[in-house]
Amino acid sequence: MAETVVDMKSAVVAAIDIGTNSVHMVIAQVDQLGFHIITVEKEVVRLGAGAGAFEVLTEEAMDRGLVALRRMKQIAAAHSALVRAVATSAVREAENGNDFVRRVRDEVGIDIRVISGSEEARLIALGVRRSLSLGGDRVLMIDIGGGSTEFTISEGHRTLLSQSLKLGAVRLTDRFLAGKVANGNLAKLRAYANSTFAPLANDIRNIGFSRVVLSSGTCETLVRASLISDGRELSASLNGKTISRQALNALVDRICDCDSAEEISEIPGIDSKRAEIITAGAVLLHEYCRALKFDSCEYSEFALREGVLFDAAEQLLGMRLSRRDAARDGALRFARRCSVDVQHSEHVARISSQIFSTLHRQFELDEGLLPLLETAAILSNVGASISYSRHHLHSYYMIRNADLVGFSDDDIELIALVARYHRKGNPKRSHPEYEALDESRRHDVDLMAGILRIATGLDRSHDQCVASVRGSVLAGAGGEFVELKVTGSCDSQETLDLNLFTAQERTSLLEEFLGMPVRLVGSLSRKR
């Protein structure tokens, strides 16, 4: 869940990326004008290594992760840094991923945010944009991690595509190259990568791009080794360095000709710690290059951990636009794919926001819930693409399994539950998903679903008749109550009354949360 914005001029932030292969941390002093990196830490822990690692994290892997995170927590504490940690595919996919999250919280004192693949892609893109001068170019960003590859196409600050595929260097090494590397295994790896990537490759070609930017450790190794193999002089930083398709192809051929990790580590530029998984990473990049036919690519030193850093800084310093905009754009793309009446959904989101804001002033609500509420409003009807009569139930499962940008796994669960309860029966402890929440989260669902029910009723006519909603707490003969003043922009009082009647019929859940009645009154705007 998003946190309250802290009013400060600067902050020291430690951003930790808990990946499949490595744990990275960057500590930086950030302010409104920029940032200064204090230190960078990295430890190879192979959290997702071994057969079945993406189904269950082994005790040994979790212990390695705990040791690394404990050391990083000590370094962060020495700099009085605020710690922000995210976990990606290895933790995201493992059945016992939540056990690892709890152990880290209880034994190390770090709260981990488990992020979706699309959110990972968004954060990577946020880091890359701070690393290179991209201007208004349409840029394809590719980040090959241990468990997945993240693809983003951006143009300026607009995100045109954000998607994650389960194609990672560790994952495919374990599946295809465990033991001796053989040509038959390489052929199977290539065929699998090509088959998995083909649908997305078609989407990427249709959108188009003018530049390709690579990021993270696997791509860093391939860029460095390609530059050395090509006879080019290396500087202290690889940021902005460009390699050609020909140089990449030659390096991949050389790597694939090796019979062992020991032989691969003898190639200049390839570290022994990465030699075991670099073949799979090289084949993946080669297949992406072949399918998309790009002639060259650049390297960005900034990736996920820097994206986490900048995202945290934007929240702490009150600059929230990037996450809110990206999250809204992603929700709208999903809604359109499900043939949702987006004009109606966006209007319901606006009304929900107005109701929330007026109650926030009266009841000091957690403002971090607002983007979750708005997203639930936009997506509440996606289930109608399956069946209208039970679309609230279908919406829950569709949202729960969607790769939403800008939200943690816990956030997505709340969004899905709010959509599930935007109509029909109230939340019940007998519902397993609702019961699984802690008490404060259940209250959050009650509040947001209660607001969304009223907002949905206020556009029952689907013609955006209601222009605005303002509220206040008043005293009456029976005690205090909330009055919501509704202003209509339509030509017909009859249409406004229909919406008011429907909304009034749906106030019970919000009334139960607030502990007082909710009454709606409405009038047509004099400016019609």
Side-chain angles (χ1 to χ4, degrees), residues 164-337:
S164 176
L165 294 181
K166 293 179 180 180
L167 294 173
V170 173
R171 185 194 297 271
L172 297 191
T173 296
D174 290 344
R175 178 167 180 174
F176 294 101
L177 305 179
K180 185 177 180 180
V181 176
N183 289 335
N185 293 339
L186 285 172
K188 291 176 183 177
L189 192 162
R190 288 184 184 278
Y192 178 79
N194 183 44
S195 174
T196 305
F197 181 53
L200 179 58
N202 186 62
D203 292 342
I204 292 173
R205 287 191 295 266
N206 288 337
I207 295 172
F209 56 90
S210 59
R211 294 170 67 177
V212 177
V213 176
L214 310 176
S215 58
S216 292
T218 293
C219 291
E220 177 187 15
T221 297
L222 294 172
V223 168
R224 178 183 294 106
S226 292
L227 291 171
I228 295 172
S229 179
D230 211 25
R232 293 167 59 182
E233 185 176 342
L234 293 184
S235 57
S237 171
L238 292 180
N239 196 55
K241 294 292 186 182
T242 300
I243 61 170
S244 67
R245 181 177 179 179
Q246 290 76 14
L248 175 63
N249 289 346
L251 175 65
V252 173
D253 289 342
R254 186 176 178 185
I255 291 173
C256 291
D257 284 340
C258 294
D259 292 326
S260 64
E262 290 75 16
E263 189 176 345
I264 291 173
S265 65
E266 294 175 3
I267 298 174
I270 298 182
D271 186 89
S272 60
K273 292 181 180 179
R274 197 169 287 273
E276 185 181 342
I277 64 170
I278 199 63
T279 302
V283 170
L284 283 175
L285 184 55
H286 184 262
E287 288 303 307
Y288 303 151
C289 179
R290 184 195 58 77
L292 300 175
K293 295 180 171 59
F294 51 83
D295 294 325
S296 64
C297 44
E298 307 165 59
Y299 179 72
S300 164
E301 284 194 335
F302 287 1
L304 178 58
R305 63 185 181 275
E306 288 80 15
V308 173
L309 171 71
F310 301 135
D311 195 57
E314 288 178 349
Q315 292 181 70
L316 292 168
L317 301 176
M319 303 178 294
R320 292 182 131 185
L321 289 179
S322 70
R323 174 180 288 191
R324 288 288 294 276
D325 288 350
R328 191 178 188 87
D329 288 347
L332 287 171
R333 283 196 299 272
F334 182 37
R336 291 189 181 100
R337 288 200 304 271

Side-chain angles (χ1 to χ4, degrees), residues 14-18 23-25 69 72 83-86 110 308:
I16 302 177
D17 159 21
I18 303 166
V23 176
H24 297 258
M25 179 175 71
L69 288 168
M72 291 186 181
V83 177
R84 297 292 180 267
V86 300
I110 293 177
V308 173

Side-chain angles (χ1 to χ4, degrees), residues 430-475:
S430 60
H431 298 159
E433 296 84 4
Y434 182 73
E435 169 63 18
L437 301 176
D438 61 37
E439 187 175 3
S440 66
R441 290 298 179 88
R442 287 196 290 268
H443 288 164
D444 291 340
V445 170
D446 294 347
L447 167 65
M448 291 187 284
I451 291 173
L452 183 53
R453 287 181 175 212
I454 295 172
T456 302
L458 286 174
D459 198 38
R460 176 67 172 172
S461 55
H462 279 239
D463 61 357
Q464 293 73 61
C465 171
V466 170
S468 63
V469 182
R470 298 177 61 189
S472 57
V473 177
L474 303 177

